[in-house]
Amino acid sequence: MSGAQKTYTVAVAGMGKRGTHHADACARNPRFKLVGLCDIDPTRLEAARQKFGAEHVDTDARRLLAVTKPDVLVFCTLPQIRLPLIQAGVEAGVKLIAYEKPVATSTNEALEMYRILRQAGVKTVVSHQHRYGEHYQKVKDIIASGAIGRVHTVYGHATGWMMHMMSHMVEYASWYNDYAEPEWVVGQAAGKEKFADVHASPDYICALIQYSNGVRGIIECGAGAPDVPEVDYWWRKCRVGAQGTEGFAEVLTGGGWRAVTKNGMSSGPGCMDYEHDMPPYVQGIADWLDDPAKIHPCNGETALKGFQVMMAACRSVVQRGKVSLPLGPGEPELETLQHALP
Ligand SMILES: NC(=O)c1ccc[n+]([C@@H]2O[C@H](COP(=O)([O-])OP(=O)(O)OC[C@H]3O[C@@H](n4cnc5c(N)ncnc54)[C@H](O)[C@@H]3O)[C@@H](O)[C@H]2O)c1
């Protein structure tokens, strides 16, 4: 882009942990100007106003958007609040909505969100920002170099439960498989305690994925997923990687990377770090708004495919057998799964 670069105005809704991360990253990037902050909790909102000094603050996102008319809406609310904020952003005429995983709480909700977004031509980005970690990138580079031969299996597991962690696992495993289309999913699940959590989930879930290039995906999340003893921090006990005909390469979210390839063994450090991962994540938003060809690596259409893998696994538990993708409307997956589990 030649000449002065455009500054994009941003409103952030949901000033908890992740909203603060997003506001901070936007405030530090000269390509963005924070014009509005929103939280339903006035105390949190006031703390955010003092920290970031945005011109407008409001406890109601729709009202804030009507006043500020930003280029970008960021929202970082808990999983139950997705469709209303997508609607509010589209109605206010934003160009891009960046929001937190998981994409939605059901296929029906996700399909409605993306119907509205596509009709309005609004871009979306979903926060699967772990991929910016140098250890995640190193594994991608090793796989892409051909050093592990022909990839036949990708995998990801996390001790954290489904609505927290599964879309991360599917996203990065699919990335390591060059985002080949997922064709069908077989799933199994166990345990109902975590349905009481705000990230309502079965205690344990696993999914086998058939990708269009013949690669098998294996995903597990929650109580019963393999431990990653090399990692102390519980939420970062995740292992994502690929096996090929000549070796494997894998990342541990809190414990670096390692590989065995035709050239021998290698390993290196790395740990998921918001401070490190958020700046390139928000820079990618400006890049995509500048140039439609520079699609954000965490774009919402890709995230939607990963979300459908997760929902297909839930449907498979209930319906049994293979569930073909893409999904159409159906029974709300979480409620139906909770009812079906013993
Ligand atoms: N990508 C990641 O690495 C990562 C890490 C942690 C959490 N998350 C996700 O981020 C999301 C938010 O998690 P968090 O830990 O920041 O939660 P949080 O509870 O710290 O913050 C959520 C905030 O949203 C506010 N809120 C609720 N309803 C609202 C509304 N209608 N309008 C405006 N504000 C509203 C709440 O008052 C709260 O301050 C979740 O979906 C979670 O899964 C992602």
Side-chain angles (χ1 to χ4, degrees):
M1 200 178 159
S2 60
Q5 291 191 306
K6 182 170 163 39
T7 302
Y8 296 107
T9 54
V10 184
V12 183
M15 295 307 302
K17 172 179 150 175
R18 290 295 293 152
T20 304
H21 291 166
H22 279 77
D24 196 52
C26 289
R28 287 165 191 263
N29 186 319
R31 299 300 312 283
F32 298 103
K33 181 174 192 298
L34 276 179
V35 293
L37 301 173
C38 167
D39 200 293
I40 51 170
D41 176 343
T43 313
R44 276 202 173 172
L45 186 57
E46 177 54 21
R49 190 189 64 76
Q50 287 186 17
K51 183 162 186 193
F52 298 110
E55 279 167 50
H56 299 277
V57 295
D58 204 311
T59 51
D60 183 83
R62 203 172 275 274
R63 214 163 41 208
L64 178 78
L65 290 166
V67 173
T68 54
K69 296 264 175 233
D71 297 312
V72 178
L73 166 64
V74 172
F75 71 85
C76 300
T77 50
L78 289 168
Q80 293 69 22
I81 303 162
R82 296 286 184 266
L83 181 55
L85 287 178
I86 293 284
Q87 282 166 328
V90 168
E91 281 165 23
V94 304
K95 299 184 174 77
L96 185 147
I97 301 177
Y99 67 104
E100 267 297 347
K101 43 61 50 176
V103 164
T105 52
S106 69
T107 299
N108 292 352
E109 183 185 25
L111 292 177
E112 179 62 5
M113 286 163 58
Y114 279 80
R115 187 190 66 75
I116 293 168
L117 288 160
R118 288 169 188 155
Q119 201 169 36
V122 174
K123 298 176 168 67
T124 52
V125 171
V126 177
S127 200
H128 292 119
Q129 83 291 351
H130 296 191
R131 64 180 289 140
Y132 293 102
E134 280 165 16
H135 50 331
Y136 279 79
Q137 300 271 343
K138 179 72 183 173
V139 169
K140 176 65 184 171
D141 291 347
I142 292 170
I143 296 165
S145 76
I148 67 167
R150 178 183 62 79
V151 171
H152 51 70
T153 307
V154 292
Y155 52 91
H157 59 74
T159 46
W161 51 102
M162 182 182 89
M163 289 292 270
H164 267 297
M165 295 308 297
M166 192 162 176
S167 76
H168 280 298
M169 297 299 100
V170 175
E171 174 77 23
Y172 312 131
S174 299
W175 175 39
Y176 291 161
N177 188 29
D178 294 331
Y179 290 114
E181 292 291 321
E183 289 185 333
W184 53 255
V185 174
V186 167
Q188 191 50 278
K192 300 211 274 194
E193 274 182 35
K194 285 287 181 242
F195 280 108
D197 187 76
V198 285
H199 287 78
S201 307
D203 299 347
Y204 168 83
I205 188 160
C206 60
L208 297 178
I209 309 164
Q210 173 74 3
Y211 289 100
S212 59
N213 59 355
V215 169
R216 168 68 68 249
I218 306 171
I219 305 291
E220 289 183 81
C221 284
D227 186 23
V228 183
E230 300 88 334
V231 177
D232 291 331
Y233 188 72
W234 192 84
W235 283 107
R236 296 181 190 160
K237 285 178 173 288
C238 315
R239 192 171 71 106
V240 191
Q243 294 175 350
T245 50
E246 295 179 73
F248 77 92
E250 62 184 20
V251 64
L252 310 182
T253 300
W257 62 274
R258 58 197 176 201
V260 176
T261 73
K262 51 192 166 193
N263 307 316
M265 285 174 62
S266 54
S267 63
C271 184
M272 198 281 275
D273 177 5
Y274 295 114
E275 290 264 332
H276 176 276
D277 300 342
M278 288 306 289
Y281 174 75
V282 300
Q283 180 59 43
I285 292 174
D287 294 343
W288 195 13
L289 288 171
D290 289 345
D291 180 354
K294 291 189 179 156
I295 297 170
H296 198 289
C298 301
N299 73 83
E301 292 289 343
T302 302
L304 177 63
K305 287 181 188 171
F307 176 73
Q308 293 218 347
V309 167
M310 184 163 98
M311 292 296 103
C314 295
R315 287 189 185 185
S316 172
V317 179
V318 177
Q319 299 166 11
R320 303 182 189 172
K322 293 174 180 170
V323 172
S324 297
L325 296 166
L327 299 180
E331 295 292 319
E333 285 86 358
L334 293 176
E335 291 82 346
T336 314
L337 176 57
Q338 184 177 8
H339 186 70
L341 285 176

